[in-house]
Amino acid sequence: MTNDEPARTLRAPIPRRLPGVGHHLDLHDDASRPVHAVRRRDGTLELHADGSIVVLDPLSARSLGALASGHLVVRPELLERADRVLGGLELDWIRLAPDAAAVGASIEELAVRRRTGVTIVAILRGSLPLVDPDPSMRLEADDELVVACRAEERSALERFLHEGAT
């Protein structure tokens, strides 16, 4: 923008309901060209730009939303309620180093819950979240394990995953 150009007023786009379809959002790219997003009731996301359409499956659409938001915001009162209900239970992420002892082993073989008290609730493998992983799933280098645990259990789990059973 030059000094001669008027400043553009930026406003957050407002989604519109599309009865029986989902929601529609009018956006603009960095060159002010229109981009239209349609989130269908089945969770798919359509992106329309320059006469092209890209359709994302529900998992990819949610992943894009998480990436675009840059962070997860949780209201303080929800955190307080969760703490009372869960009694100190935390959700945390642990990345498996390529040389971790657990790489190549299945969740079942490791018996993580029995040995550490920690539950693996999801695995982030690249950009793919694997929710409620099957016990036969083998862990891979650089997997990010989403775990439910108490603070004192986390360090024991990290030692167990990276160094092996002691």
Side-chain angles (χ1 to χ4, degrees):
M1 181 169 91
T2 67
N3 291 338
D4 299 347
E5 296 176 22
R8 226 174 37 168
T9 304
L10 297 177
R11 291 189 186 107
I14 300 172
R16 292 179 294 143
R17 274 182 31 91
L18 297 174
V21 176
H23 288 83
H24 176 264
L25 187 63
D26 291 316
L27 306 164
H28 291 89
D29 68 10
D30 60 350
S32 297
R33 293 177 298 229
V35 176
H36 305 283
V38 176
R39 183 175 41 90
R40 297 191 162 275
R41 290 173 52 189
D42 67 359
T44 58
L45 179 70
E46 296 177 8
L47 299 172
H48 301 253
D50 289 333
S52 296
I53 300 174
V54 174
V55 179
L56 301 177
D57 61 80
L59 180 59
S60 295
R62 285 193 307 275
S63 297
L64 176 62
L67 174 69
S69 71
H71 66 285
L72 176 65
V73 177
V74 180
R75 295 186 330 265
E77 61 271 15
L78 181 59
L79 289 174
E80 291 170 11
R81 181 177 181 208
D83 192 44
R84 284 192 310 271
V85 171
L86 299 175
L89 191 63
E90 300 175 355
L91 286 177
D92 209 341
W93 285 256
I94 296 174
R95 189 182 73 77
L96 282 181
D99 61 347
V103 170
S106 72
I107 297 169
E108 184 175 39
E109 290 168 347
L110 293 169
V112 172
R113 186 179 309 143
R114 183 175 56 78
R115 291 181 173 166
T116 67
V118 176
T119 300
I120 299 173
V121 296
I123 298 173
L124 304 176
R125 186 164 285 161
S127 63
L128 180 66
L130 306 165
V131 179
D132 192 21
D134 187 272
S136 65
M137 180 172 288
R138 296 198 175 278
L139 302 180
E140 296 180 6
D142 296 318
D143 277 352
E144 285 187 82
L145 308 181
V146 181
V147 298
C149 62
R150 293 195 167 53
E152 62 273 9
E153 296 166 335
R154 188 185 192 287
S155 59
L157 174 66
E158 279 194 290
R159 274 192 312 280
F160 174 72
L161 292 173
H162 288 94
E163 300 168 12
T166 55

